[in-house]
Amino acid sequence: MFSSLCFRFSIDPQSDPEALFRISSETGLITTAMELDREREHWHNITVIATQRDNPSQVSRVLVAIETLDLNDNAPELDRQYTTALCDSSNAGQ
């Protein structure tokens, strides 16, 4: 097992030209830099670089595939008009 304190993490800028992601150089935690849109791009592939702190010539790269999940940002619509009625004596949930 290794300690993340022994490594410095970064994202290869060529793999993330729009700078959509950030990475903690200390922990390697990847976060988004802006809101992602699944309708625009379903998958993002970035390359994470881990460099050994006490020996910078020791470098490892790994491809990270990030799936963008869909958020229902469009209100649901009914396929036709419905007429509804509600009694004023109805209980909540009826």
Side-chain angles (χ1 to χ4, degrees):
M1 184 158 167
F2 69 90
S3 167
S4 63
L5 297 176
C6 299
F7 299 92
R8 184 178 50 108
F9 299 95
S10 61
I11 294 174
D12 182 342
Q14 291 181 340
S15 69
D16 185 23
E18 295 175 307
L20 297 174
F21 299 95
R22 293 187 183 125
I23 190 166
S24 166
S25 63
E26 300 293 320
T27 66
L29 176 69
I30 299 169
T31 58
T32 56
M34 60 189 67
E35 191 172 295
L36 304 178
D37 185 357
R38 183 177 192 263
E39 292 160 0
R40 188 168 161 246
E41 185 112 25
H42 184 90
W43 285 94
H44 300 272
N45 296 306
I46 60 173
T47 301
V48 172
I49 304 167
T51 307
Q52 194 169 335
R53 288 188 185 275
D54 61 352
N55 187 357
S57 66
Q58 295 294 315
V59 177
S60 183
R61 295 171 171 265
V62 65
L63 179 65
V64 177
I66 300 167
E67 182 180 12
T68 307
L69 300 179
D70 193 20
L71 174 67
N72 189 5
D73 54 354
N74 299 313
E77 295 179 13
L78 301 174
D79 61 350
R80 63 178 184 211
Q81 286 280 340
Y82 288 90
T83 303
T84 59
L86 180 66
C87 295
D88 60 358
S89 61
S90 297
N91 293 325
Q94 285 185 313

